[in-house]
Amino acid sequence: MENIIITGMSGAGKTQAMQILEELGFFCVDNLPPQLIPTFLELCQESAKNLDKVALVTDIRGEIFRDPSCEEKVYYQIKDQVRYFFLDARDDVLISRYQESRRSHPLSEISGSLIEAIARERQSLAYLKDLADVVIDTSEITTAELRETLLKALNREETQIKTKVKLYSFGYKYESPVGADFVFDVRFLKNPFYLKELRTLTGKDKEVQDYVMSFAEAKTFYDHLLALLSFVIPEFKKVSKPVLEVAIGCTGGQHRSVTFAELLAKDLKLQGLEVTLLHRDMDKNVHVVKKRENKL
């Protein structure tokens, strides 16, 4: 079991580090009071969910729960079970980040100025920095460089991590997608809806797929689309975006978009990518079509 505790200065990038570890498959918990950490690790060890990678973020925010007399004892008690990652940054950088984000420092209410709050936090966490297995100064690094640093500290290679692709079909007549990285429109292709024998089928059916892909423009567009995604997905991973969302749309989200999404999912998986596939409007549109057919 791989256990990591992320700690360090507020504003040094612990949230970004936790997000990166989540992408690497770690089960992450933020702002866990120190006294609960040994119990939590024990629960993870006994869990039937096979939690083999756990990352906990703990910092000055848990001070309300802390008993100074036993706090250090807790961290030393679990030293053999975890690796400590301490994120730090220069005071001037922390001040600049707080000023840009307009957030309040966790200790600002009891320490007065931001400078005093940072000084108090640095003093409170000094022993954790000494205890740390890995200290990362984020003063001059980007999120991508932070990711590379964490990968190196974890003895992982970027190539060992599968890119995740969230692929889904949808119908424009219901709602255009929000948040997708790429949206492709296949409404220019011939619509199986106008063939009675295919009307109530979907792009998951071989008959529909054979019809949609029987036209030269469909084959050409599919080849270009697969080539584009095959190129761009690894490039996005290089800039710390290991999850890519791709949406394929047609009129009702039942025939053409489903066909393309099904075929793309199959081919991308053959490239070693982790693909989740969703047909957002397929069943909804089939219900509407069948209802209309029954009325006729």
Side-chain angles (χ1 to χ4, degrees):
M1 186 171 177
E2 190 172 10
N3 300 321
I4 292 175
I5 288 183
I6 305 170
T7 187
M9 298 294 293
S10 301
K14 296 188 297 297
T15 298
Q16 289 85 348
M18 184 177 70
Q19 291 170 348
I20 292 168
L21 290 174
E22 283 181 336
E23 293 167 358
L24 298 178
F26 280 80
F27 179 79
C28 298
V29 178
D30 189 16
N31 199 18
L32 191 69
Q35 289 87 336
L36 298 181
I37 293 177
T39 302
F40 181 81
L41 293 177
E42 185 177 341
L43 289 174
C44 291
Q45 189 73 38
E46 298 174 354
S47 172
K49 301 279 186 185
N50 296 319
L51 296 177
D52 58 342
K53 292 183 289 185
V54 175
L56 309 176
V57 176
T58 181
D59 53 34
I60 205 70
R61 290 173 297 166
E63 190 170 83
I64 188 175
F65 297 101
R66 292 177 176 171
D67 177 357
S69 64
C70 69
E71 179 183 338
E72 292 190 33
K73 182 180 178 181
V74 169
Y75 286 117
Y76 281 102
Q77 175 186 339
I78 60 174
K79 174 62 176 162
D80 293 338
Q81 303 176 51
V82 304
R83 294 181 71 199
Y84 289 98
F85 284 45
F86 191 97
L87 271 63
D88 201 354
R90 298 193 313 269
D91 287 1
D92 62 301
V93 173
L94 296 175
I95 291 171
S96 176
R97 289 174 183 174
Y98 270 103
Q99 289 175 338
E100 290 176 3
S101 67
R102 299 183 182 274
R103 293 186 297 113
S104 297
H105 191 280
L107 299 182
S108 59
E109 292 186 4
I110 58 177
S111 297
S113 70
L114 177 57
I115 296 176
E116 292 172 346
I118 291 174
R120 175 170 177 171
E121 180 182 31
R122 193 175 293 284
Q123 182 179 7
S124 298
L125 298 180
Y127 78 94
L128 271 177
K129 187 174 183 179
D130 292 337
L131 190 65
D133 300 283
V134 179
V135 177
I136 303 174
D137 189 330
T138 66
S139 300
E140 304 293 343
I141 67 174
T142 64
T143 301
E145 291 169 335
L146 174 59
R147 179 184 176 86
E148 292 176 6
T149 302
L150 288 172
L151 285 172
K152 184 177 180 180
L154 293 168
N155 296 318
R156 283 174 171 78
E157 296 289 340
E158 189 75 58
T159 54
Q160 296 176 307
I161 304 166
K162 288 186 177 181
T163 299
K164 297 179 182 179
V165 181
K166 294 183 178 179
L167 180 64
Y168 66 92
S169 64
F170 71 95
Y172 277 99
K173 75 176 186 179
Y174 295 106
E175 184 182 3
S176 295
V178 177
D181 297 291
F182 290 96
V183 180
F184 298 99
D185 189 342
V186 293
R187 286 178 293 182
F188 70 93
L189 301 176
K190 295 190 182 300
N191 194 349
F193 174 83
Y194 295 109
L195 294 181
K196 188 173 182 180
E197 64 271 23
L198 300 180
R199 188 168 298 162
T200 58
L201 299 180
T202 74
K204 297 179 71 173
D205 295 301
K206 187 177 185 301
E207 299 92 326
V208 173
Q209 292 184 5
D210 289 345
Y211 176 80
V212 171
M213 301 306 296
S214 66
F215 301 95
E217 57 268 33
K219 293 179 182 178
T220 300
F221 183 68
Y222 181 83
D223 290 341
H224 284 306
L225 182 52
L226 179 60
L228 172 64
L229 293 176
S230 298
F231 166 76
V232 81
I233 291 171
E235 295 303 312
F236 268 99
K237 186 171 69 170
K238 292 178 183 178
V239 293
S240 299
K241 187 174 177 58
V243 181
L244 199 69
E245 190 170 312
V246 180
I248 314 290
C250 63
T251 304
Q254 177 184 341
H255 296 107
R256 294 164 291 179
S257 62
V258 174
T259 293
F260 266 64
E262 286 282 331
L263 296 177
L264 282 171
K266 180 179 178 181
D267 283 335
L268 292 175
K269 285 179 181 178
L270 289 175
Q271 295 180 14
L273 301 173
E274 184 177 324
V275 181
T276 57
L277 178 61
L278 172 68
H279 300 303
R280 194 190 74 181
D281 302 319
M282 183 183 70
D283 292 336
K284 183 193 310 180
N285 203 68
V286 169
H287 176 74
V288 171
V289 171
K290 287 184 176 180
K291 188 175 181 180
R292 184 184 303 169
E293 290 283 295
N294 292 334
K295 285 185 178 180
L296 297 175

